[in-house]
Amino acid sequence: MRDDDNVKIKDVARALREPVRIDASFNERVMRAVRDLPKHSRLSFWRRWSMPRTITVSPLGASLVAASLVVFALVGLWHVSDDIDRAAKPIAKAIFPSKVAPDQHVQFVLVAPDAKKVAVVGDFNGWDASHSAYQAQHRGGGVWSVMAPVPVGHHRYSFVVDDSLWVADPSAPRVVDNDFGMTNSAIVVEEQR
Amino acid sequence: MRGFRRALAGAGLLVAAATARAQDARLAQRLDKPTYVAVNAIVDSARVAKLPTAPLVDKALEGAAKGSDGQKIVFAVHQLSVRMTSARHVLGATSSPDEIKAAATALDNGVSDRDLARVKSAGGKRPVTMPLAVLTDLIGRQVPIATATSLVVQLAKSGIKDPDLALFQRNVRADIDRGADPTVAATTRARGLVARGNPPATKPAQ
């Protein structure tokens, strides 16, 4: 009985091992059938972005992404800390009013009898002569003055008369400016205690 | 492997984003493109060197406000960064941005590194922003650098406080405006202040 089974199995195996004979037109018929299939529709841009997918990430890849995020955060904080210092001051002041030194109000005075317009420019306002808070008012007798906010610290500044003439503050320390050829004034504003 | 490539691409993007820092928008508004690029490069270098960058931005804005050409602005900003590097080296790593700025200004007005170190040493642990501002002012009013430095060092050693230093500067200025010799005015006022000790600040003699 077992010998009969073995013979049958061998016959089946032999039949399976024999090469399949394919007629010459087989390939052409298959390709024709493929070409006749309905075309695969292209996904729209929005669909491509919104379609849920499974993304495979190796543990090494995930670790690299996590490390990059940490490096990005640290480097970013370090790089922009100085830049955001000024921008963050008003926000910090609103959140921690007692922790941030408030701007001090400084009175700038210039005697300029013939002037039609006097503005104060300096490190504290980006040297912007059009800054509204630093426009001096004529108080009579050729005296121009403005009480303007100045942050605590060391600042260089100057008066701009009639949008063209640069005048150092005669009552403040001088800073000879070797870079742009006009003498500035200096002010050191300290926090009021 | 595909996940690894994605992670690498992500890391590259993050590093690129980290180097694209937020720059002062005012520079972009007030400087032409080549000047803006050059100034930004100097500001970036200063940031990497942990120098205060605000004075550099202010210097560029000052140049733009004064109508200087781009080349001059870039040169001035670069010179300031060099002076701030020297100033920080002399004053020490713990010096404040204001001290570095005041020291850089003093260096620009002819004060030497050695004199800067003398003022710093005389001031002890107190900030030297005001003494340096007064020193720069005296030099600007034609007091010889050596004399002005010695006087400021003497005042700092005597423990003269900032409001009294400011008063000293105003009195010297008033004396010079009235026709006094700058050196004599500064020397006399300094001696008077040291002799009196450290009195509370009063109004300047006008």
Side-chain angles (χ1 to χ4, degrees):
Chain A
M1 185 65 185
R2 189 172 289 173
D3 290 343
D4 287 349
D5 287 347
N6 284 341
V7 170
K8 276 181 187 170
I9 288 168
K10 280 180 182 171
D11 287 346
V12 170
R14 195 183 306 118
L16 288 173
R17 282 194 195 107
E18 284 193 4
V20 178
R21 297 184 194 289
I22 300 170
D23 64 88
S25 65
F26 177 79
N27 282 346
E28 195 181 327
R29 279 185 286 124
V30 168
M31 290 310 296
R32 198 182 304 128
V34 170
R35 284 190 203 103
D36 289 344
L37 284 173
K39 283 188 177 173
H40 180 70
S41 58
R42 291 193 64 178
L43 292 172
S44 68
F45 177 80
W46 172 245
R47 181 78 181 129
R48 238 181 294 158
W49 280 96
S50 61
M51 191 170 64
R53 298 176 205 197
T54 304
I55 298 172
T56 53
V57 183
S58 66
L60 177 63
S63 305
L64 273 173
V65 170
S68 302
L69 281 171
V70 171
V71 169
F72 171 72
L74 291 176
V75 171
L77 272 176
W78 173 53
H79 275 187
V80 303
S81 60
D82 198 53
D83 288 338
I84 64 174
D85 180 51
R86 291 182 194 189
K89 254 183 191 170
I91 302 165
K93 209 181 286 179
I95 302 170
F96 310 108
S98 60
K99 299 280 182 191
V100 180
D103 287 355
Q104 306 298 316
H105 279 77
V106 176
Q107 185 167 42
F108 297 95
V109 180
L110 180 72
V111 178
D114 299 328
K116 290 179 175 61
K117 183 184 172 189
V118 175
V120 183
V121 293
D123 294 340
F124 39 75
N125 67 357
W127 296 84
D128 181 5
S130 64
H131 201 301
S132 60
Y134 299 85
Q135 304 298 318
Q137 302 298 313
H138 189 223
R139 310 292 178 190
V143 177
W144 295 76
S145 74
V146 59
M147 185 76 92
V150 180
V152 169
H154 177 276
H155 308 279
R156 298 166 311 115
Y157 70 99
S158 187
F159 288 105
V160 179
V161 177
D162 296 338
D163 289 324
S164 56
L165 183 64
W166 290 71
V167 181
D169 187 342
S171 66
R174 282 183 189 174
V175 180
V176 176
D177 178 25
N178 295 318
D179 297 314
F180 306 119
M182 298 170 202
T183 298
N184 292 318
S185 302
I187 184 170
V188 180
V189 178
E190 295 181 320
E191 191 178 348
Q192 297 290 331
R193 294 177 195 279
Chain B
M1 191 61 194
R2 204 165 51 169
F4 179 65
R5 277 203 300 267
R6 277 184 194 141
L8 273 184
L13 280 174
L14 290 172
V15 170
T19 53
R21 295 153 309 282
Q23 294 290 5
D24 198 313
R26 295 172 303 173
L27 288 179
Q29 290 166 0
R30 311 251 297 264
L31 302 177
D32 59 54
K33 184 79 179 173
T35 310
Y36 172 70
V37 170
V39 168
N40 257 350
I42 299 168
V43 171
D44 281 348
S45 301
R47 188 180 286 114
V48 170
K50 295 184 180 173
L51 284 170
T53 56
L56 299 173
V57 172
D58 289 334
K59 177 58 82 176
L61 293 174
E62 179 194 354
K66 288 180 174 175
S68 293
D69 62 61
Q71 208 175 348
K72 217 170 189 177
I73 291 172
V74 172
F75 182 74
V77 172
H78 176 255
Q79 288 300 102
L80 178 58
S81 77
V82 170
R83 288 195 298 271
M84 287 203 303
T85 305
S86 297
R88 205 253 312 265
H89 180 70
V90 173
L91 298 181
T94 56
S95 49
S96 70
D98 281 324
E99 284 180 294
I100 293 174
K101 189 176 166 187
T105 307
L107 288 173
D108 188 35
N109 280 257
V111 175
S112 67
D113 285 3
R114 191 173 155 273
D115 288 339
L116 207 55
R118 282 176 63 203
V119 175
K120 175 66 181 171
S121 171
K125 289 183 179 174
R126 288 178 300 160
V128 289
T129 311
M130 180 61 88
L132 289 173
V134 171
L135 172 59
T136 305
D137 174 67
L138 293 179
I139 294 167
R141 294 184 192 279
Q142 309 305 317
V143 178
I145 295 174
T147 308
T149 307
S150 295
L151 293 175
V152 170
V153 165
Q154 194 182 350
L155 292 171
K157 271 184 181 165
S158 304
I160 304 296
K161 292 183 179 137
D162 284 357
D164 295 306
L165 273 175
L167 176 63
F168 162 75
Q169 179 273 325
R170 289 198 293 273
N171 282 334
V172 172
R173 187 251 309 159
D175 292 346
I176 294 170
D177 287 349
R178 281 196 292 263
D181 175 77
T183 306
V184 173
T187 308
T188 309
R189 288 287 178 183
R191 278 182 190 156
L193 195 54
V194 172
R196 286 205 306 272
N198 192 6
T202 52
K203 285 186 177 177
Q206 294 238 29

